Amino acid sequence: MAQETSMPARVQMFEGEAAIGAAFPADKYHAAKGQGGLTMGLAMRYNIPETNFDCGISADFTGVMRDFQRGTTAYSQTNRILSLALTGAYNFRQGQKVNPFAGMGIGVGFYDTVGDRLYDVSGTGAVFIPKIGVELWSHLRVFASAHIIRKGFNSLDIGLAVVIGGRKKKTP
């Protein structure tokens, strides 16, 4: 007897996301003490019909704090990234109330420093953004991600996102 294969749930084609969270330094940078910062972003995804995959675009801002001590003088700078990326993800239980996902983004990152700028660095580079999490009730995402671009700017992030669209379609 042939085993019946289940088709992925039919969901709305497009969904948008607004996210905010905390960013933490992922590496050492000179003699700095790393401090937490902020990550926030927007994303738009296309749910590929009859699959559990989505693809899309994202724009986000991530900044981590670095504190330096030079003699008796304290310096504080923020190493920040503005990222624009193409994204893709696999949804393990698409259309369900609890939907774990894993994905990645690849794009361009514009990085610079603000604050005391003991190390004044700026430039453009390729950015890699792995991301895992769970979508709850088709409206809330809890996630962990990383921004990998350049030593001193790399971050590990956790956050929450509000999702509009992408809900399970009603069956006729």
Side-chain angles (χ1 to χ4, degrees), residues 105-122:
I106 298 173
V108 62
F110 306 94
Y111 57 89
D112 69 348
T113 57
V114 294
D116 295 334
R117 296 184 193 184
L118 186 58
Y119 296 97
D120 190 6
V121 179
S122 64

Side-chain angles (χ1 to χ4, degrees), residues 67-159:
D67 294 331
F68 301 91
Q69 188 72 35
R70 259 268 162 101
T72 59
T73 307
Y75 298 90
S76 182
Q77 73 181 44
T78 301
N79 293 12
R80 62 187 185 176
I81 311 164
L82 173 62
S83 304
L84 304 172
L86 298 175
T87 64
Y90 182 81
N91 298 279
F92 293 93
R93 299 186 69 223
Q94 192 163 25
Q96 304 301 314
K97 288 181 182 178
V98 176
N99 173 27
F101 63 90
M104 72 174 84
I106 298 173
V108 62
F110 306 94
Y111 57 89
D112 69 348
T113 57
V114 294
D116 295 334
R117 296 184 193 184
L118 186 58
Y119 296 97
D120 190 6
V121 179
S122 64
T124 304
V127 64
F128 177 62
I129 310 167
K131 188 174 193 178
I132 60 170
V134 63
E135 186 172 292
L136 304 169
W137 309 288
S138 301
H139 295 295
L140 180 67
R141 280 187 164 207
V142 179
F143 66 88
S145 65
H147 285 77
I148 302 166
I149 187 168
R150 180 185 195 279
K151 184 174 176 129
F153 291 81
N154 299 329
S155 68
L156 301 173
D157 320 307
I158 57 172

